[in-house]
Amino acid sequence: MKLYGFPASPNTWKVRALAAYLKTPLEFEFVDLLQGAQQSPAFLALNPTGRTPVLVDDDFKLWESNAILQYLASKNATPLYPSDAKSRADVTRWLCWDLAHWGAQACQPLIFENLVKKFANLGPADQAAVAKAIEAFTKEAKMLDAHLARHKYLVNDTLTVADFAVAAPLFHAQGAGMPVGPYANVGAWFGRVSALPCWSETAPQMAAAA
Ligand SMILES: N[C@@H](CCC(=O)N[C@@H](CS)C(=O)NCC(=O)O)C(=O)O
């Protein structure tokens, strides 16, 4: 299987980390987002939305990082993606929340405004966008912290792909100015998830600076 991605992006990193955890060999091809490679005809043939990551497994092309996490886990029949209906729905719930709220409204805007713009020379952060994202982050992190006060991991107190998805953007918390300080349970959980060697094995160069 081959993954097309941008290593510093949490969407790419979490997929590579999961593959490393599962010991699934994954060939990697760098897509230079800063040079607009995601808009090349060759890349658009893999993902017409022009975004990374994309997984190619023989003639199957899969985009959307949380779908890729589920696919890799399904191929391995791992406890990271439990098969009973309630546990699986619980994992899906957190992946949906990640896509709709945690990532889209809170973490990604902060990563873009405070980190990507700096690295890509895209000008100063839009302070209105930052304020809106901080408000969203605070709302969602409060809920997450309360959940993690009662649970070791997001689902069934055991590691699942949901932890990979929700933890991934937090690797950039410092550089992106995410206000994580007040959320001790989130911090403790992130400590547990990020200590898995699969993250350092697949870490982008940029993470140290973020
Ligand atoms: N929901 C998508 C988001 C993918 C996404 O936005 N990828 C970014 C990098 S983090 C990208 O490729 N951006 C390039 C662009 O929008 O031109 C996923 O989870 O895969």
Side-chain angles (χ1 to χ4, degrees):
M1 280 188 289
K2 186 168 178 178
L3 188 78
Y4 294 76
F6 189 78
S9 151
N11 290 326
T12 288
W13 191 0
K14 69 190 176 189
V15 170
R16 298 181 83 192
L18 178 69
Y21 184 93
L22 296 172
K23 310 239 177 297
T24 297
L26 201 56
E27 204 185 322
F28 183 70
E29 183 153 332
F30 175 63
V31 180
D32 194 346
L33 299 180
L34 302 181
Q35 299 299 322
Q38 69 276 30
Q39 291 301 331
S40 72
F43 186 79
L44 290 172
L46 300 176
N47 180 359
T49 77
R51 298 187 183 99
T52 55
V54 182
L55 182 78
V56 177
D57 187 10
D58 293 325
D59 59 353
F60 182 52
K61 304 178 190 80
L62 186 62
W63 37 271
E64 282 298 324
S65 58
N66 286 353
I68 299 172
L69 292 180
Q70 291 167 87
Y71 181 68
L72 290 179
S74 297
K75 283 186 77 120
N76 282 274
T78 161
L80 290 193
Y81 194 41
S83 56
D84 73 281
K86 284 181 184 161
S87 301
R88 189 160 280 206
D90 203 353
V91 169
T92 305
R93 173 229 309 272
W94 286 103
L95 296 177
C96 292
W97 171 77
D98 170 48
L99 274 179
H101 307 292
W102 181 240
Q105 296 172 332
C107 300
Q108 280 164 26
L110 289 172
I111 290 174
F112 180 73
E113 294 297 336
N114 291 331
L115 207 51
V116 175
K117 277 188 167 176
K118 211 180 283 174
F119 276 92
N121 277 324
L122 295 175
D126 172 344
Q127 290 309 328
V130 169
K132 197 168 162 211
I134 297 259
E135 192 183 328
F137 188 93
T138 302
K139 180 178 171 195
E140 304 303 335
K142 206 168 153 190
M143 180 282 296
L144 183 61
D145 199 64
H147 181 78
L148 290 168
R150 293 175 281 112
H151 301 285
K152 194 171 173 205
Y153 294 102
L154 293 176
V155 176
N156 290 348
D157 291 328
T158 184
L159 186 75
T160 67
V161 295
D163 297 290
F164 279 76
V166 175
L170 292 176
F171 281 93
H172 293 307
Q174 199 185 333
M178 295 177 198
V180 286
Y183 309 108
N185 302 306
V186 173
W189 160 82
F190 180 68
R192 286 191 288 280
V193 176
S194 62
L196 297 169
C198 58
W199 294 100
S200 53
E201 285 163 16
T202 53
Q205 299 280 327
M206 178 188 166

